[in-house]
Amino acid sequence: MKKIIITFIFLFVAVNISYAVTTRSSYIVEVLVIQHKDKSAADELWPVNNTKPIPGLDKATLVKDKPPAYAKFNSIAERIAEDKRYKILAHKRWFQFADAKSDARPVRIKGEENAKPVVDGTLKLYSKYYIYVELNMQLREKMRKDEEKGDDASPVYTLKEKRRVKLKQINYFDHPKFGLLVYVQPAR
């Protein structure tokens, strides 16, 4: 009888461990990228030729679709669009698994190609007991091209940050020139 109970306990534990190992948590991620039109951030300016391209940008999964009508940030985006101090550069929403940091794939967040300020970069969502977001974003303000030097004189602003995020709460990542609202919720 003891052998049967021990065998049953062993099988129960083994099945639960294998289920825990093979089960991946899935999330819905929503991002709203906002430009601050305040002119006081001039000290954060880096010339284009001194900025490095974002690593892994070409391998990141590009989010193309616009968020559905029931997206969390739709009403917030409408209110921000009415305020002349801010400009919405991108609004994206997607489904994603939260893998270990080494296995997590970055997602590319890219604004409109023909917009005056262009935002481009990556967001990596991963799990390590908690959920983390790793951002590497650049805002390029299209200006003039320096004909004499052959340089593009467009300033580039970089936001690079890694942070633990709380589920079902709005998380704000800030730079003097732009910011990101990030919302992560478990997928059902």
Side-chain angles (χ1 to χ4, degrees):
M1 183 70 168
K2 284 184 177 179
K3 287 184 179 180
I4 293 173
I5 293 173
I6 291 172
T7 305
F8 178 72
I9 291 172
F10 175 75
L11 287 174
F12 180 76
V13 169
V15 166
N16 282 335
I17 288 173
S18 68
Y19 178 76
V21 169
T22 59
T23 304
R24 296 166 53 189
S25 298
S26 56
Y27 296 92
I28 296 171
V29 182
E30 188 169 354
V31 174
L32 188 65
V33 185
I34 305 159
Q35 178 190 20
H36 307 287
K37 293 185 175 180
D38 186 10
K39 304 288 185 197
S40 67
D43 59 341
E44 293 287 332
L45 183 66
W46 294 291
V48 172
N49 56 2
N50 289 342
T51 57
K52 297 177 183 175
I54 296 172
L57 193 61
D58 56 336
K59 296 177 185 172
T61 305
L62 180 63
V63 179
K64 296 179 184 177
D65 298 334
K66 291 190 176 187
Y70 56 84
K72 176 85 175 167
F73 289 154
N74 282 348
S75 62
I76 295 170
E78 288 173 7
R79 283 182 280 175
I80 290 172
E82 294 172 358
D83 193 331
K84 294 181 180 182
R85 297 174 297 170
Y86 305 102
K87 180 178 182 179
I88 296 174
L89 302 176
H91 184 189
K92 307 290 181 182
R93 185 175 192 264
W94 67 93
F95 170 86
Q96 181 175 350
F97 290 107
D99 295 321
K101 184 177 181 181
S102 59
D103 298 330
R105 293 192 45 128
V107 172
R108 187 171 184 181
I109 300 168
K110 188 172 186 176
E112 299 281 327
E113 286 284 337
N114 299 327
K116 188 173 181 179
V118 176
V119 67
D120 197 5
T122 60
L123 181 147
K124 183 191 265 190
L125 178 84
Y126 63 92
S127 176
K128 183 181 174 184
Y129 301 113
Y130 299 104
I131 300 299
Y132 289 86
V133 166
E134 191 172 296
L135 285 175
N136 196 349
M137 301 292 297
Q138 289 183 343
L139 172 70
R140 182 180 310 252
E141 291 184 337
K142 291 185 179 179
M143 301 289 241
R144 57 175 172 73
K145 206 169 193 178
D146 192 343
E147 300 295 331
E148 294 173 13
K149 295 181 183 176
D151 290 339
D152 187 358
S154 300
V156 175
Y157 305 94
T158 302
L159 173 58
K160 188 173 183 178
E161 189 173 341
K162 176 175 65 171
R163 184 189 315 165
R164 176 182 158 199
V165 296
K166 294 184 179 181
L167 298 178
K168 296 184 176 181
Q169 289 189 12
I170 297 173
N171 300 274
Y172 185 62
F173 295 82
D174 191 30
H175 182 282
K177 284 300 240 178
F178 70 110
L180 282 86
L181 295 173
V182 178
Y183 187 81
V184 181
Q185 70 181 23
R188 295 180 188 161

